Amino acid sequence: MSDTLFPIPESEESSGGRAATGVPRLVTANRAQMELRAVDLESLLPLDHPARAVWEFVEALDLSPLYAQIRSVEGSAGRPATDPRLFLALWLYATVEGVGSARALERLAQQHDAYRWILGGVTVNHHSLSDFRVQHEEFLDGVLTDSIAVLMERKLVTLKRVSQDGIRIRASAGAASFRREPSLQRCLQEAQEQVQRLRQELEEDPEATSRRQAAARQRAAEDRQRRVQEALAQLPEVVAKKKTDEQEKARVSTTDGEARVMKMGDGGFRPAYNGQFAVDTATQIVVGVDVSKSGSDQGQLVPMIEQLQERYGVVPSETLVDGGFAGLTDIERASKLGTVVYAPVAKPKDPTRDRYVPLSTDSPVIAQWRERMGLPGAKEIYKQRASSVECVNAQARHRGLQRLLVRGQHKARAVLLWFAIAHNLMRTRSLEASCASPA
């Protein structure tokens, strides 16, 4: 404690009614004071904290596929591996809180009580966090399937009615990284020459640079060469989608070869991926996830229905999609799979024609779809799309799904799986709370 002197006017009086004389006694901050605190991590979080719900969820998972990959085992040399359960819990809670950077998560793991509680004294670095986030796409896919299967057994999810929508996510690539084939070939030659030059430099004069600097330069050069090679491998796919007279203009990014320029929500065109979420309309639970390199939702309906059938062994009775999905061929194929499609009928060019009256060229499935969408009941059903999948997309945006910090379609899908699992975890918690509360 230290005393600081502040003179006060003689006219002021103390609480005793007498005029105050002298200087006041104050308690001020002393940040150099040493403290000894006895605090256990368990007492840092309240019992209803979301981090505890995340840990409870992770504890119930079967992590044998991840444990099988660990080479540090009892009776052999090597330092112990960090428990994958910690990485899972960290990333799930970070996703819930809108943290998508491994470096930011590393800092939070040192400073924030919730992350410190999850780790329980274990230290992690951003390299390990970043690697874990994208290396286990197949495992995360299984977690999503198994968790939904549990909810289906408990009758919380029925898949009677599912809505689907796309969400375009900015890729980790700039517009200037897109190059045509001659430029890509020139970049590849420069990258190969740089790799060869670095190798020769190390052979001729190993002491020219430190080993760490040399290794870093070597990795950077090889990484650039690999990315240019990947861009060239993607070029034929981009060329095939161009008109014959525009094929020479086809360009691919040397930063992320699988990213494509897409029209975004604000009307601008940027490198992006087209994420796809399928959501149970009754619960807002995400039941399907995919990532497309196409800027259009056309052709995405049937693959999602097939994914749901493969995951859960059932086809949704009804599927709600917007006009971007409503290709006539897709509606017919979806109908053959056993689902009834609710999608808006495009406004005809002829203003006198009723869009809901079947055309003479329509197949029976398309004719039924037109007539169905003209009924008031169908329009009420279709409104559920906005309150389900669009709500999920908005929550994903709020949690940071604005721009990807990873590169490649598979890594992008892994990130979307993290978002889906984290969303379902919090949504299930909310549903269970509402069921437990008295009516």
Side-chain angles (χ1 to χ4, degrees), residues 378-429:
K379 295 177 181 179
E380 289 300 316
I381 290 174
Y382 184 71
K383 288 180 181 180
Q384 296 180 21
R385 193 190 74 87
S387 61
S388 55
V389 69
E390 288 191 3
C391 182
V392 170
N393 283 353
Q395 291 183 43
R397 294 287 194 198
H398 180 70
R399 289 186 172 125
L401 194 59
Q402 304 281 349
R403 178 169 185 164
L404 294 167
L405 300 180
V406 299
R407 295 168 183 161
Q409 186 175 5
H410 286 287
K411 292 182 179 180
R413 187 171 183 272
V415 171
L416 260 69
L417 284 167
W418 282 109
F419 273 88
I421 296 169
H423 169 84
N424 288 352
L425 172 59
M426 292 295 103
R427 185 60 187 153
T428 302
R429 186 170 180 239

Side-chain angles (χ1 to χ4, degrees), residues 66-264:
L66 301 183
Y67 290 143
Q69 301 174 21
I70 297 175
R71 291 179 293 177
S72 176
V73 296
E74 295 291 343
S76 65
R79 59 173 296 179
T82 302
D83 191 345
R85 227 175 274 278
L86 299 178
F87 287 118
L88 271 170
L90 274 179
W91 272 119
L92 282 176
Y93 183 68
T95 304
V96 169
E97 293 295 306
V99 179
S101 164
R103 292 182 183 272
L105 183 51
E106 179 186 18
R107 289 193 296 270
L108 287 168
Q110 299 169 357
Q111 302 168 1
H112 196 286
D113 286 345
Y115 297 92
R116 291 174 57 219
W117 179 88
I118 290 174
L119 285 172
V122 178
T123 58
V124 292
N125 59 64
H126 64 271
H127 287 293
S128 300
L129 290 166
S130 180
D131 291 342
F132 187 88
R133 190 187 193 195
V134 297
Q135 285 178 345
H136 304 290
E137 178 193 358
E138 184 178 349
F139 173 78
L140 293 172
D141 199 67
V143 170
L144 177 63
T145 301
D146 294 342
S147 59
I148 298 301
V150 170
L151 295 177
M152 291 176 68
E153 286 183 5
R154 298 169 55 187
K155 307 300 182 182
L156 284 177
V157 173
T158 62
L159 291 185
K160 178 182 181 297
R161 185 175 294 155
V162 168
S163 59
Q164 180 183 351
D165 197 17
I167 177 171
R168 288 169 183 79
I169 315 152
R170 182 79 158 82
S172 182
S177 67
F178 281 74
R179 302 172 185 270
R180 300 177 185 177
E181 184 174 10
S183 180
L184 289 173
Q185 294 290 358
R186 185 171 62 254
C187 288
L188 178 60
Q189 182 179 356
E190 292 174 355
Q192 290 172 338
E193 291 175 354
Q194 184 180 12
V195 170
Q196 185 62 31
R197 186 168 59 252
L198 288 171
R199 288 175 179 171
Q200 185 177 356
E201 177 183 318
L202 285 174
E203 291 174 359
E204 293 177 354
D205 188 6
E207 303 300 326
T209 56
S210 71
R211 291 183 179 180
R212 181 173 295 181
Q213 289 177 330
R217 292 172 60 190
Q218 184 78 13
R219 285 194 305 271
E222 291 175 350
D223 181 64
R224 184 183 180 221
Q225 178 180 335
R226 176 186 57 78
R227 286 189 282 108
V228 175
Q229 290 172 338
E230 290 176 353
L232 283 168
Q234 291 288 324
L235 191 60
E237 178 184 330
V238 178
V239 170
K241 295 181 179 180
K242 294 281 187 180
K243 297 179 181 179
T244 305
D245 58 341
E246 295 182 351
Q247 290 183 347
E248 293 183 357
K249 299 180 181 179
R251 300 184 303 162
V252 183
S253 171
T254 55
T255 304
D256 185 349
E258 294 183 299
R260 300 290 183 265
V261 175
M262 302 179 185
K263 186 175 182 179
M264 308 299 284

